[in-house]
């Protein structure tokens, strides 16, 4: 697989630096991060946005993707553990392989943990964004495989929670294996006569 | 409960425990051990003839030892399944049968001493973990005299004592003399909210449980003197404040302050010494009975399941959700969900709510009947493979087949590959590409992070599930730490190739940190064992070449350890300050030759 694109002139990257309201913007100079990113190899456009994950934020990015013919995206915002699925979906909706999106974590790793040092936080944000751009340049489109799945659930523990989960699943037409270590299901609740807040009996 | 026993779609396995889970989301194979009941579950009508003749008398654990049962018994009247069960350890001898009176007593011939433990293998697509709670054992809190006085009970024992189906038929009696108590005290937060003994968190249910108990006591006996010793009453839920106020109106006395000591009086009562927080004076209260509102802890088997399924725990020991707000019932492991107190202390309503949520999350995953795999898997470049077998040896999922004898090159089973990248890091010939985390992608990222002022930076590798999540946790908790660290995320610390470390040093990194899940908590079974060995190996090579091995660090940080993450970053920064510009330059010079010689193939970039 090559990293060259349909445009033939190497990757066309868009970089979006999110303020996350004041969460990032108060500490990190997002405009400066975007300006620095604009000068990096392969970056066609770099902007700072108020909320990248919001509907208007996503629209703005999507419009760029389509109008500027971008093929790779860096979102410099929060942790990928939070919004990676969101932005992958976004680029996919613009016809770009979702694995050609990379995030830089400016919130959890910069603004929130270096609150009293905006300069260092901004320098770090620039580095992380530069790292993400370097990475996104080389990312390759990937495709998930479709595998068969067993429509059956194992529930471990037959207390009130396990019982409820098992019944909801079973009543919705899914088979359940309920494993309980004791000779009977019921758990702690079975030992209790009246329960708050209704003061009625529990089983 | 009975609905579960009857439901055609629910297969109920009691006396059973999960021994092993193989496979991955959508296709788990679960090995379950089902202990022998010695009574035919389907035939037994719970008539109880067998128990009548059994000569063995034992304390009844369901009533927490407040009553007795036989060696063949029904767990409790509403049990599901209703069938009796033989405790083989207590039976006078079931194999060979020594007494066998129960066998004769059962007209339906349900009792069969030839039953043995069984192993069952089940195929499932998703898993709900609902292992619940255990109550705190207050024995260590000697000041409350739990093990010294018969009339000091835990709240759960008290529940059994006043239960209509319990040992006294719901009649409240004092265990020591079986007389009706005139006064009862409750001690709150036993084993909770304490830095000294028990746990530091609030168990969430014990305040309301005590309020409930006072109401039922007052209902039976309006003149009973009831005192509650507490720190503060947490009546936060819907309808809770009403109950609390009702309890106060009925004359229950709420006294702020926890007892310091419980002593016996001459007339066989309990003298409770409390420093009343309102007045600061030590007061003495003589009571007939004392109930300890014990806290909630994770179930005993939690650690075993955590390891088996590659899950994470909070610092409190409960299962950790993928995200506290957006995915509160999902585990980070795809296809696994949490319900009830396994995830944290909560009441029945919240347990049930969460269980329904977990069921829907499981359905959402399964309803299409197929599943899309994560394409972040490894791939063998067959031309480069020398069939040495190293990758197959290190793969925690046995996802690689290779035949070193016949020189058949390695092949990755992408469905089984979980994407840890350990094989790619360990292959001596650079013959494995780890998709989405290729050598080139990571090396370029290192270059970019070290491009400016490299001497001021700490380069850190962090695994997605633990240490990177720990960094997120530090962020969410706003724990401040030095701004010099630059993190590179890999799925697993097992992905961190020697070449990455050398590359970082060659490009001027003063300190390199490799971080991942604690040993035993690895999201990829045990891939971090290889990380540990590899880091050790690189440090030895560093020492040999005259590079201070301290400049390469290894740290295990869990997803819940934000504060620890910050501490480690401070340590790294302290280390960095000790590395001089000359030292960095010497390393860069030393390694530059190697890098040039190795050409572009990062697999061979190590010295
Ligand atoms: C003294 C006391 C009084 C309470 N009073 C009230 C009240 O009045 N109102 C209220 O709303 N809440 C009350 N609660 C809280 C309530 O009991 C819990 O919310 C509820 O029981 C949680 O249900 P669960 O299914 O998560 O756990 P549990 O009820 O503990 O059930 C867990 C089940 O899983 C099984 N299990 C555990 N590990 C394994 C394993 N490895 N393999 C297989 N099976 C396993 C256990 O045997 C058990 O059957 C009270 C709790 C206590 C301790
Ligand atoms: S619920 Fe009440 S008694 Fe229980 S730990 Fe919290 S404050 Fe203490
Ligand atoms: S470790 Fe590398 S060379 Fe050895 S068998 Fe695996 S892929 Fe082939
Ligand atoms: S990436 Fe990990 S799970 Fe996949 S084949 Fe390699 S070692 Fe095995």
């Amino acid at each position: 697989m090559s990293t060259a694109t349909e445009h033939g002139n190497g990757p066309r990257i868009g970089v979006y630096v999110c303020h996350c309201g004041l969460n990032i913007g108060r500490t990190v100079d997002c405009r400066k991060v975007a300006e620095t990113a604009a000068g990096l190899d392969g970056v066609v456009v770099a902007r700072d946005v108020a909320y990248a994950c919001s509907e208007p934020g996503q629209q703005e990015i999507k419009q760029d993707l389509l109008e500027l013919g971008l093929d790779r995206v860096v979102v410099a915002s929060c942790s990928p553990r939070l919004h990676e699925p969101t932005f992958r979906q976004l680029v996919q909706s613009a016809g770009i392989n979702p694995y050609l999106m990379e995030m830089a974590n400016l919130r959890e790793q910069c603004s929130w943990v270096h609150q009293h040092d905006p300069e260092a936080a901004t320098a770090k944000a620039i580095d992380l964004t530069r790292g993400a751009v370097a990475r996104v340049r080389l990312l390759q489109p990937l495709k998930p495989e479709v595998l068969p799945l067993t429509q059956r659930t194992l529930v471990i523990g037959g207390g009130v929670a396990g019982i409820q989960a098992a019944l909801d699943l079973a009543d919705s037409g899914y088979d359940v294996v309920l494993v309980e270590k004791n000779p009977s299901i019921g758990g702690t609740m079975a030992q209790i006569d009246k329960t708050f807040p209704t003061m009625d009996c529990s089983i | 409960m009975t609905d579960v026993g009857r439901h055609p779609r629910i297969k109920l396995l009691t006396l059973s425990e999960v021994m092993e889970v193989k496979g991955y989301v959508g296709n788990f194979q679960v090995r379950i051990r089902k202990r022998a009941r010695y009574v035919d579950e389907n035939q037994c009508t719970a008539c109880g003839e067998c128990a009548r003749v059994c000569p063995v008398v034992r304390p009844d654990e369901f009533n927490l030892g407040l009553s007795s049962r036989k060696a063949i018994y029904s767990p409790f009247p509403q049990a599901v399944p209703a069938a009796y069960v033989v405790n083989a350890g207590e039976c006078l001898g079931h194999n060979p049968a020594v007494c066998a009176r129960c066998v004769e007593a059962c007209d339906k011939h349900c009792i069969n001493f030839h039953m043995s433990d069984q192993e069952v293998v089940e195929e499932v697509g998703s898993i709900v973990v609902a292992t619940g709670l255990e109550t705190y054992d207050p024995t260590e809190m000697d000041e409350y005299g739990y093990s010294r006085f018969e009339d000091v009970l835990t709240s759960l024992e008290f529940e059994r004592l006043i239960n209509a189906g319990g040992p006294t038929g719901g009649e409240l009696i004092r265990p020591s003399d079986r007389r009706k108590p005139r006064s009862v005290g409750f001690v709150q937060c036993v084993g909770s909210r304490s830095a000294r003994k028990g746990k530091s968190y609030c168990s969430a249910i014990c305040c309301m449980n005590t309020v409930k108990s006072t109401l039922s006591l007052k209902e039976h006996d309006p003149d009973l003197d009831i005192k509650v010793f507490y720190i503060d009453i947490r009546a936060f839920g819907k309808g809770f404040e009403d109950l609390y106020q009702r309890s106060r109106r009925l004359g229950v006395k709420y006294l702020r302050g926890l007892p310091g000591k419980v002593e016996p009086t001459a007339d066989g009562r309990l003298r409770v010494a409390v420093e009343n927080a309102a007045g600061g004076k030590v007061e003495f209260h003589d009571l007939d009975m004392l109930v300890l509102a014990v806290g909630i802890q994770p179930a005993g088997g939690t650690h075993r399941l955590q390891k088996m399924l590659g899950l994470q725990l909070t610092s409190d020991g409960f299962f950790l959700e993928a995200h506290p707000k957006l995915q509160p019932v999902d585990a980070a492991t795809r296809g696994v969900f949490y319900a009830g107190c396994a995830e944290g202390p909560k009441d029945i309503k919240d347990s049930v709510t969460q269980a329904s949520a977990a069921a829907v999350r499981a359905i959402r995953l399964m309803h299409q009947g197929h599943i899309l795999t994560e394409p972040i898997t490894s791939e063998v470049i067959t031309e480069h493979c020398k069939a040495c077998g190293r990758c197959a040896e290190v793969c925690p999922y046995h996802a690689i087949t290779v035949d070193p004898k016949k020189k058949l090159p390695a092949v990755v089973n992408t469905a089984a590959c979980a994407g840890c990248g350990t094989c790619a890091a360990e292959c001596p010939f650079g013959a494995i590409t780890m998709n989405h985390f290729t050598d080139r992608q990571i090396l370029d990222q290192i270059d970019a992070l070290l491009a400016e002022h490299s001497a001021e930076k700490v380069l850190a590798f962090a695994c997605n599930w633990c240490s990177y999540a720990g960094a997120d946790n530090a962020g969410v908790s706003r724990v401040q730490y030095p701004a010099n660290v630059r993190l590179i995320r890999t799925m697993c610390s097992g992905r961190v190739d020697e070449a990455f470390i050398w590359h970082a040093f060659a490009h001027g990194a003063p300190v390199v940190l490799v971080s991942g899940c604690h040993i035993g908590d690895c999201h990829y079974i045990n891939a971090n064992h290889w990380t540990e060995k590899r880091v050790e190996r690189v440090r030895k090579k560093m020492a040999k070449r005259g590079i201070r091995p301290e400049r390469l660090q290894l740290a295990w940080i869990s997803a819940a350890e934000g504060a620890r993450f910050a501490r480690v970053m401070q340590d790294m920064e302290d280390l960095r300050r000790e590395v001089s510009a000359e030292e960095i330059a010497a390393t860069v010079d030393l390694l530059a030759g190697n890098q040039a010689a190795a050409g572009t193939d990062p697999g061979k970039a190590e010295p």
Side-chain angles (χ1 to χ4, degrees):
Chain A
M1 247 171 280
S2 94
T3 51
T5 66
E6 311 90 84
H7 293 262
N9 313 319
R12 294 180 61 79
I13 303 168
V15 179
Y16 299 89
V17 183
C18 177
H19 288 252
C20 191
L22 289 173
N23 278 300
I24 297 171
R26 178 161 36 210
T27 312
V28 170
D29 183 344
C30 296
R31 167 102 1 118
K32 186 168 167 198
V33 177
E35 279 164 7
T36 315
L40 297 172
D41 232 16
V43 175
V44 174
V45 61
R47 300 184 203 279
D48 55 322
V49 289
Y51 283 102
C53 63
S54 71
E55 189 52 35
Q58 294 203 36
Q59 276 313 322
E60 186 180 340
I61 298 174
K62 190 168 172 182
Q63 205 170 338
D64 270 5
L65 299 180
L66 298 171
E67 286 177 5
L68 302 174
L70 303 182
D71 57 13
R72 272 146 217 274
V73 176
V74 168
V75 183
S77 56
C78 50
S79 173
R81 291 175 49 84
L82 187 65
H83 270 317
E84 195 171 60
T86 314
F87 295 119
R88 276 190 179 161
Q89 255 169 29
L90 168 65
V91 300
Q92 191 163 29
S93 75
I96 299 174
N97 185 284
Y99 290 88
L100 300 181
M101 190 285 302
E102 179 66 15
M103 291 179 76
N105 189 345
L106 305 197
R107 196 179 69 178
E108 281 82 348
Q109 281 181 29
C110 299
S111 62
W112 277 353
V113 288
H114 312 308
Q115 280 172 331
H116 312 300
D117 195 347
E119 213 166 295
T122 302
K124 185 174 176 184
I126 289 174
D127 271 5
L128 295 184
T129 307
R130 188 188 289 122
V133 170
R135 201 173 131 69
V136 88
R137 256 187 233 127
L138 296 175
L139 289 180
Q140 294 170 349
L142 299 174
K143 246 188 134 139
E145 255 178 88
V146 180
L147 286 184
L149 166 147
T150 315
Q151 287 183 317
R152 201 153 178 260
T153 302
L154 168 73
V155 177
I156 310 175
V160 62
I163 290 173
Q164 181 71 33
L167 287 174
D168 280 355
L169 281 157
D171 289 344
S172 311
Y174 292 83
D175 288 329
V176 175
V177 185
L178 177 55
V179 173
E180 166 58 53
K181 70 172 176 333
N182 283 333
S184 169
I185 56 170
T188 310
M189 198 192 64
Q191 288 175 287
I192 301 168
D193 188 7
K194 295 198 175 67
T195 55
F196 68 79
T198 47
M199 308 296 290
D200 52 2
C201 89
S202 50
I203 34 177
Chain B
M1 266 172 68
T2 48
D3 294 346
V4 171
R6 278 197 301 261
H7 207 296
R9 286 200 180 273
I10 300 180
K11 178 169 177 182
L12 176 57
L13 299 173
T14 49
L15 291 166
S16 300
E17 268 183 89
V18 176
M19 306 305 290
E20 188 187 30
V21 178
K22 279 206 257 185
Y24 36 86
V25 56
N27 299 281
F28 293 106
Q29 289 94 45
V30 187
R31 192 158 61 79
I32 299 162
R33 203 172 77 114
K34 185 170 169 50
R35 278 179 290 133
R37 185 182 270 270
Y38 303 107
V39 177
D40 186 328
E41 222 170 281
N42 303 317
Q43 297 299 315
C44 173
T45 57
C47 68
E49 293 298 334
C50 51
R52 214 155 293 146
V53 299
C54 175
V56 181
V57 182
R58 284 286 177 273
D60 185 348
E61 52 278 77
F62 186 74
N63 282 330
L64 302 152
L66 299 169
S67 66
S68 58
R69 58 158 178 80
K70 300 299 185 60
I72 183 164
Y73 64 102
S74 157
F76 54 98
Q78 308 87 338
V80 175
Y84 274 53
V85 51
V86 177
N87 184 319
E90 297 165 352
C91 173
L92 292 178
H94 68 290
N95 193 14
V98 172
C99 138
R101 284 193 227 167
C102 57
V103 179
E104 284 155 33
C106 180
D107 289 341
K108 296 195 68 191
H109 310 295
C110 300
I111 304 170
N112 174 3
F113 283 163
H114 297 298
M115 281 185 188
S116 51
D117 293 358
Q118 278 177 310
E119 256 195 29
V120 196
V121 175
E122 299 286 349
E123 307 258 336
V124 297
S126 58
I127 298 176
V128 175
V129 177
T131 45
L133 62 99
E134 247 163 46
T135 50
Y136 172 71
D137 175 356
T139 307
E140 63 169 344
M141 292 187 113
D142 192 54
E143 57 269 38
Y144 295 152
Y146 176 65
S147 49
R148 283 184 285 137
F149 308 113
E150 251 188 289
D151 296 331
V152 179
L153 302 177
T154 69
S155 45
L156 196 56
E157 287 165 346
F158 181 77
E159 282 291 335
R160 293 314 301 157
L161 202 59
I162 57 163
N163 195 303
T168 61
E171 203 58 44
L172 178 67
I173 53 153
R174 232 157 75 113
S176 61
D177 57 8
R178 310 214 136 233
R179 290 234 300 271
K180 243 176 100 159
R182 299 304 318 137
S183 56
V184 179
F186 288 86
V187 182
Q188 296 308 109
C189 299
V190 177
S192 308
R193 301 179 65 189
S194 162
R196 273 184 322 116
K197 284 176 186 164
K199 307 292 172 133
S200 55
Y201 53 83
C202 167
S203 291
I205 55 100
C206 12
C207 275
M208 284 318 291
N209 188 50
T210 292
V211 168
K212 168 191 79 181
S213 302
T214 64
L215 289 174
S216 16
L217 287 178
K218 279 286 183 191
E219 200 176 290
H220 279 108
D221 181 358
D223 299 328
L224 187 68
D225 181 28
I226 306 176
K227 290 176 177 160
V228 178
F229 305 103
Y230 72 108
I231 306 177
D232 46 35
I233 291 293
R234 301 194 162 174
F236 54 87
K238 193 171 171 181
F240 289 8
E241 183 68 17
D242 274 355
L243 292 182
Y244 174 41
Q245 292 307 335
R246 207 158 95 205
S247 167
R248 288 190 153 242
R249 275 202 304 277
L250 288 173
V252 175
K253 299 186 196 76
Y254 285 83
L255 304 163
R256 195 186 286 264
L258 296 181
K261 208 162 53 180
V262 178
E263 301 276 275
T265 63
D267 58 351
R269 306 175 75 203
L270 301 161
R271 176 157 299 165
V272 180
V274 192
E275 186 181 317
N276 191 320
K281 276 202 327 266
V282 177
E283 294 171 359
F284 294 94
H285 302 269
D286 287 358
L287 298 162
D288 289 339
M289 270 178 87
L290 199 59
V291 181
L292 307 181
V294 287
I296 284 180
Q297 303 180 345
T302 300
H303 266 282
R304 236 178 55 123
L305 268 182
Q306 178 229 343
K307 298 218 152 100
M308 216 184 285
L309 293 165
L311 305 174
Q312 279 87 36
L313 300 180
T314 65
S315 52
D316 296 337
F318 292 96
F319 286 108
L320 179 69
E321 64 277 28
H323 189 275
K325 280 176 286 182
L326 303 179
Q327 289 167 279
V329 303
D330 297 9
T333 302
R334 244 180 117 202
V336 180
F337 307 93
Y338 303 128
C341 289
E343 184 266 340
K346 53 175 71 67
D347 61 13
I348 295 171
K349 180 182 177 180
D350 285 356
S351 297
V352 168
T353 308
Q354 205 179 43
S356 291
V360 172
R361 295 295 285 178
I363 292 172
R364 173 178 172 272
L365 176 83
M366 296 189 296
H367 79 109
Q368 276 171 332
H370 60 75
I371 191 154
L372 295 179
T373 61
E374 177 62 79
I376 301 179
T377 57
S378 67
E379 237 174 89
V380 178
I381 310 161
T382 314
E383 315 82 88
H384 294 181
C385 173
K386 304 247 188 302
C388 70
R390 178 68 179 159
C391 53
E393 182 195 346
V394 300
C395 175
Y397 297 87
H398 309 294
I400 305 184
T401 39
V402 48
D403 193 335
K405 277 199 197 110
K406 293 192 189 140
K407 287 278 163 210
L408 289 179
V411 179
V412 178
N413 171 359
T414 49
C417 168
C420 67
T422 305
C423 55
E426 288 288 326
C427 173
F429 306 100
I432 297 187
T433 307
M434 181 63 221
N435 284 325
H436 212 57
F437 292 92
T438 66
D439 290 355
R440 208 57 262 168
Q441 288 162 0
I442 293 173
L443 294 172
D444 269 29
Q445 202 180 350
I446 297 174
D447 290 346
L449 292 177
L450 295 176
E452 285 172 9
H453 313 294
S454 60
E456 287 165 22
K457 289 168 192 169
V458 170
L459 192 81
F461 295 93
C463 80
N464 180 61
W465 308 100
C466 294
S467 45
Y468 194 94
D472 280 357
N473 185 283
V476 171
S477 326
R478 312 292 196 278
V479 191
Q480 308 294 302
Y481 57 84
N484 307 47
V485 64
R486 300 292 181 267
L487 239 57
I488 291 183
R489 179 170 75 131
T490 56
M491 295 314 282
C492 175
S493 65
R495 173 65 189 106
V496 182
D497 203 305
E498 277 195 31
F500 305 164
I501 300 170
W502 294 118
H503 190 86
F505 284 129
H507 288 73
V511 172
V512 174
L513 170 72
V514 178
S515 66
C517 309
H518 288 276
I519 293 290
D521 292 358
C522 182
H523 191 77
Y524 301 93
I525 304 178
N526 60 0
N528 61 356
H529 276 109
W530 300 108
T531 314
E532 193 175 31
K533 287 194 174 130
R534 196 178 311 135
V535 166
E536 222 18 75
R537 213 158 59 215
V538 179
R539 291 179 118 202
K540 281 206 184 105
K541 288 186 195 171
M542 288 170 71
K544 241 189 228 161
R545 321 204 68 207
I547 306 172
R548 273 196 306 134
E550 297 78 53
R551 291 172 57 195
L552 173 60
Q553 290 288 321
L554 178 66
W556 307 130
I557 301 165
S558 84
E561 292 176 331
R564 180 173 152 72
F565 180 87
R567 238 179 296 125
V568 171
M569 292 312 121
Q570 182 64 56
D571 292 349
M572 292 307 115
E573 172 59 7
D574 293 347
L575 261 176
R576 185 197 66 83
R577 285 171 186 276
E578 285 167 18
V579 186
S580 67
E582 298 76 51
E583 195 179 351
I584 298 172
T587 307
V588 171
D589 278 351
L590 182 75
L591 296 176
N594 275 285
Q595 289 265 317
T600 48
D601 185 355
K604 294 182 199 143
E606 55 166 292

